Amino acid sequence: MVDVADKIAYFQAITGLEDVDLCTEILQAHDWDLELAISTFTSSNPPERAVNDDQGGGETVSHSNSTSRDGQTSVDRLDYPGNAAVPGPGLAWKLITLPYSVISGSIGLISGAVGLGLWAAGGVLSYSLGMIGLGSSSGRNGESSARLVSVSAAASEAMEFVSSFERDYGSVMKPNFVGEGFMDALQRSRGEFKLLFVYLHSPDHPDTQSFCEGTLCNEVLAAFVNENFVSWGGSIRASEGFKMSNSLKASRFPFCAVVMPATNQRIALLQQIEGPKSPEEMLVMLQRVIEESNPVLLQARLEAEERRNNMRLREEQDAAYRAALEADQARERQRSEEQERLEREAAEAERKRKEEEEAREREAREAAEREAALAKIRQEKALSLGAEPEKGTNVTQVLVRFPNGERKERRFHSTVAVQSLYDYVDSLGCLEVESYSLVSNFPRVTYGPDKLYLSLKEAGLHPQASLFVELN
C-alpha cells in the first residue's frame, strides 16, 4: 500500500495543487481513494478542449494550466534532470505509479494506486495471486466470478496483436512490436536504455486503417521508431490493451504514447498522441521526445556502465583477493607441511639418538658386567692357584710367552694339572680373547682339552717348560 505522504505527493503531481492541507482534505473526503479523488477533481475542473475538424481532427488539451498541441497531453511538468523546467510545447511528464500487483508479479517495481490502477485487477496480479491459490473464486455453477489475466495470457495477446497487424498491414516495413506483455516490454526498454513506444489499436475506428498504412508503416517513421524505441502494441479488444487504454486515459484513436520507467518505482508518460497524424507530424513529436529524453537515457546508460565497471572491478578485486588468499593458504600449507616434516625428522632423530644412547649404555653396562665377571673369575682362579711354591725337586718352572711379546714366569707343583696353567694365564688378564691354547715348540705339542687333567709331570712339562699362547 502507498503511504499517506506518497498519496498526497501523487495527488499534487496530477492535479497541480500545491496546498498540502487542501490536498489532504480532498483525499480524506474520498477515503484516501486516489483515483476517485482525482476523477472528482478533474470533473469539477473540466479541461479546455477545442477540436478543429478542418485541420484533420487535431485537438488542444490543457491540464493544470499547461497546453500542448497536436493531441499532446501535458500534465504537471517536471524539471528535466540537468535542465530547467521544459517549456511548452516541450516534453510532457505524467507520473503514473504502478500498482502493487505489477511489482509483486514480475519486474520489481513498487505499487501505487494512481494511473495504472485498473491494471491491478488484471495482467500480472493473477499470476501473483495464482501463486498463493487466490487466482480466482468460483460461484455455484463453478464459473469464475473474478477471472484475471495471467502473465502468459498478456504475452499471448501481444503475440496475437503482432500477428494480426502483420497479416493486415504487412511485415516488411512497420514498428517491430515485441511479442510480450507491457511490463516485460517496459523492462526491455529499461535494459536497452530506450523509450517505450506504445500503440493502442482500435480495429473499429474509421481512421485506424489509414493511420496504420500511411503513418505507422511509413518507411521513414518505422525505421526511426525501430532504431530509437522499443515498441509495444495492443488491441483495445484484448484485456491488456483495454486496461492500458483506461490507464493511459485514451480519449481518441488512433492512440500512441511514449513512456519510460521513472524514479521512485513509477513510469513517466512523456508523449501522448491522439487522433490521426501524418508521418511528418509523428516524426517531429517523437524526435522532440528523443532529444529531450537523451540526457536521462545517457545518464542511465552512464550509470549502468559505471555499475558494470564497478561490478567488474569488484569481481577483479575479489578474484585477486581470492588468488592472494589461495596463495597465502598454499604457502601456509607448505610451511605447515615443512614444519611437520621437520618435526617428524627431529622426532625420528631424537628417537634414534635415544636408541643409540640406550644401546651404548647397554653395551657399556654389559661390558662392565663382563669385565666384572672376568675380574671375578681371574680373582677366583688366582686364589685357586694358591701361593707360588719355592724351588725344589717337585716344583716345575713354567715360562709363558704372549702374542704381544710379553713374558710371564711362575713355579708350580709338578703334581698340579695342566688346567692350572690356563687358570694362571686367565688370572693375568693379558688376553682379550677367551679361546686360546698353550703350545710348546720343541717338540710342538698343543696342550688342549685332552691334556687339561694331566699333571705337569705326566704332560712332560717337568722340571721346566716354555709355552706360548696361540689364539684360536
Side-chain angles (χ1 to χ4, degrees):
M1 295 295 293
V2 180
D3 60 27
V4 171
D6 283 341
K7 287 187 177 183
I8 294 174
Y10 299 154
F11 188 80
Q12 287 181 302
I14 297 301
T15 62
L17 294 177
E18 297 181 357
D19 190 331
V20 176
D21 293 336
L22 177 58
C23 291
T24 302
E25 291 178 4
I26 295 174
L27 286 169
Q28 286 176 340
H30 292 82
D31 292 331
W32 295 96
D33 186 326
L34 277 169
E35 285 193 278
L36 181 59
I38 293 171
S39 176
T40 303
F41 180 85
T42 56
S43 62
S44 62
N45 297 274
E48 299 175 5
R49 182 180 297 270
V51 180
N52 188 345
D53 294 332
D54 295 336
Q55 299 299 324
E59 64 175 4
T60 300
V61 181
S62 174
H63 285 185
S64 302
N65 300 322
S66 178
T67 303
S68 62
R69 298 187 180 274
D70 298 323
Q72 174 180 334
T73 300
S74 174
V75 182
D76 304 317
R77 297 179 183 276
L78 302 182
D79 287 345
Y80 203 85
N83 298 288
V86 180
L91 184 62
W93 291 71
K94 179 179 180 181
L95 295 181
I96 300 176
T97 303
L98 299 177
Y100 187 79
S101 59
V102 175
I103 293 82
S104 62
S106 62
I107 70 169
L109 298 176
I110 302 300
S111 67
V114 180
L116 297 181
L118 293 178
W119 190 275
V124 187
L125 180 60
S126 63
Y127 178 78
S128 304
L129 299 183
M131 294 297 290
I132 59 175
L134 299 177
S136 64
S137 59
S138 299
R140 292 182 180 179
N141 297 327
E143 296 183 356
S144 173
S145 61
R147 191 170 301 278
L148 304 180
V149 181
S150 67
V151 173
S152 59
S156 177
E157 289 179 2
M159 290 186 287
E160 175 62 27
F161 166 75
V162 173
S163 176
S164 174
F165 191 93
E166 292 178 350
R167 184 172 58 251
D168 294 339
Y169 306 108
S171 59
V172 178
M173 188 54 61
K174 66 174 184 60
N176 294 329
F177 297 111
V178 295
E180 54 195 23
F182 175 79
M183 299 312 302
D184 292 326
L186 188 67
Q187 185 70 358
R188 178 189 293 271
S189 69
R190 179 198 295 271
E192 296 181 10
F193 304 101
K194 292 183 177 181
L195 304 179
L196 180 63
F197 176 79
V198 178
Y199 168 62
L200 297 180
H201 186 70
S202 176
D204 299 325
H205 196 279
D207 294 326
T208 294
Q209 182 174 355
S210 60
F211 179 76
C212 290
E213 291 176 348
T215 300
L216 288 184
C217 294
N218 176 269
E219 181 177 356
V220 176
L221 178 64
F224 180 81
V225 170
N226 292 336
E227 181 180 357
N228 296 282
F229 298 88
V230 171
S231 300
W232 180 87
S235 172
I236 62 173
R237 288 181 177 177
S239 176
E240 189 169 42
F242 176 74
K243 295 179 187 300
M244 284 303 304
S245 69
N246 289 333
S247 298
L248 295 175
K249 304 194 185 309
S251 59
R252 288 194 61 194
F253 293 90
F255 180 91
C256 300
V258 178
V259 301
M260 68 178 295
T263 58
N264 298 326
Q265 320 305 335
R266 293 172 289 183
I267 63 171
L269 177 60
L270 309 183
Q271 182 74 51
Q272 186 166 318
I273 306 171
E274 296 181 293
K277 296 290 180 293
S278 67
E280 293 75 15
E281 290 174 314
M282 292 283 291
L283 277 173
V284 169
M285 288 183 282
L286 295 180
Q287 284 175 339
R288 184 171 66 248
V289 173
I290 289 294
E291 291 172 359
E292 295 180 347
S293 301
N294 272 338
V296 172
L297 299 176
L298 178 60
Q299 180 65 24
R301 187 183 298 274
L302 292 176
E303 290 176 355
E305 183 65 25
E306 183 179 4
R307 286 194 298 271
R308 285 194 296 269
N309 291 337
N310 291 338
M311 183 177 298
R312 183 168 58 250
L313 178 60
R314 284 196 299 270
E315 290 175 352
E316 292 174 355
Q317 291 174 340
D318 291 344
Y321 172 76
R322 287 194 297 271
L325 180 61
E326 291 173 358
D328 291 342
Q329 291 174 342
R331 285 192 294 270
E332 180 62 22
R333 284 195 301 271
Q334 184 177 2
R335 187 198 65 77
S336 178
E337 291 172 357
E338 179 67 16
Q339 182 66 24
E340 291 177 357
R341 185 186 65 81
L342 294 176
E343 290 177 355
R344 286 196 302 271
E345 291 179 354
E348 181 66 16
E350 180 65 15
R351 184 186 62 79
K352 290 182 178 180
R353 185 191 66 78
K354 288 182 177 181
E355 289 179 351
E356 292 173 355
E357 184 177 353
E358 291 174 355
R360 286 193 298 269
E361 291 176 353
R362 184 170 56 254
E363 291 176 358
R365 185 170 59 254
E366 292 174 353
E369 292 174 353
R370 287 196 299 272
E371 181 62 27
L374 289 175
K376 183 177 180 181
I377 292 173
R378 286 195 296 270
Q379 185 179 10
E380 291 175 350
K381 289 185 177 183
L383 292 175
S384 67
L385 294 175
E388 184 179 5
E390 297 293 334
K391 294 180 179 181
T393 57
N394 294 323
V395 175
T396 302
Q397 186 75 30
V398 177
L399 175 65
V400 179
R401 294 186 178 88
F402 291 89
N404 61 1
E406 189 177 356
R407 294 183 178 190
K408 295 293 182 180
E409 189 174 2
R410 191 182 190 280
R411 295 182 295 275
F412 297 88
H413 289 288
S414 60
T415 57
V416 301
V418 174
Q419 178 65 50
S420 297
L421 299 180
Y422 280 92
D423 291 341
Y424 170 65
V425 173
D426 290 339
S427 68
L428 295 176
C430 295
L431 298 176
E432 295 181 356
V433 298
E434 297 179 0
S435 179
Y436 61 93
S437 299
L438 294 176
V439 181
S440 64
N441 277 334
F442 302 106
R444 179 177 174 80
V445 178
T446 299
Y447 298 93
D450 57 331
K451 296 180 172 58
L452 292 180
Y453 299 103
L454 296 176
S455 66
L456 297 182
K457 185 180 244 184
E458 291 172 344
L461 297 174
H462 184 74
Q464 61 181 10
S466 178
L467 304 173
F468 65 90
V469 176
E470 185 178 76
L471 304 178
N472 296 332

